[in-house]
Amino acid sequence: MSYTGSCHCGAVAFEVEGDAPTAAMSCNCSHCRRKGLLLDFVPIDQFRVTSGEEATTEWLFNKHKIEHRFCETCGCQPFATGVGPGGARMAAINLRCVPSIDLDGLTLKKIDGASF
């Protein structure tokens, strides 16, 4: 199984190998709170950009460990990449950019990122 998502204008699209998540991380750090991100983290080998990687720009925040990727056209952040706590490369999927996911059905894991 796999699921797909994109930025708002469709210039940047991605695919994730695996079942769609039933839970999402809701973080209260200044970045996630302002963007309204609902995130799921997957190993980088399960993630691939299917179109528009050249249309993204990168922004590093706080400790510069997560590479936030934004569409240069619409400004949407469909995903980020970085290194997880165990040292493995990960992709952070913005589940709000995955149309097939029922956001109201997700179990939210609240993270106190404001305290990091």
Side-chain angles (χ1 to χ4, degrees), residues 69-112:
R69 304 302 297 185
F70 298 87
C71 172
E72 292 178 341
T73 301
C74 68
C76 188
Q77 180 184 332
F79 63 90
T81 57
V83 177
R89 292 277 305 158
M90 304 291 288
I93 310 303
N94 180 1
L95 297 179
R96 293 189 183 276
C97 294
V98 180
S100 64
I101 292 182
D102 174 14
L103 298 175
D104 292 330
L106 293 170
T107 299
L108 297 183
K109 300 175 187 173
K110 296 190 180 208
I111 304 297
D112 185 15

Side-chain angles (χ1 to χ4, degrees), residues 12 25 32 36-37 43-44 50 55 57 61 63 65 76 84 98 107 109 114:
V12 179
M25 184 188 84
C32 291
L37 300 176
I44 198 71
T50 55
T57 190
F61 167 70
K63 297 179 182 176
K65 292 187 177 188
C76 188
V98 180
T107 299
K109 300 175 187 173

Side-chain angles (χ1 to χ4, degrees), residues 19-30:
D19 295 330
T22 58
M25 184 188 84
S26 176
C27 177
N28 68 353
C29 77
S30 61

Side-chain angles (χ1 to χ4, degrees), residues 2-58:
S2 66
Y3 59 94
T4 61
S6 69
C7 65
H8 188 256
C9 73
V12 179
F14 63 87
E15 180 176 46
V16 178
E17 287 298 323
D19 295 330
T22 58
M25 184 188 84
S26 176
C27 177
N28 68 353
C29 77
S30 61
H31 180 73
C32 291
R33 182 178 67 241
R34 283 173 174 82
K35 292 281 190 176
L37 300 176
L38 292 177
L39 300 171
D40 184 47
F41 290 81
V42 299
I44 198 71
D45 63 348
Q46 290 181 260
F47 171 80
R48 86 182 164 95
V49 177
T50 55
S51 66
E53 189 160 9
E54 71 285 351
T56 65
T57 190
E58 177 183 281

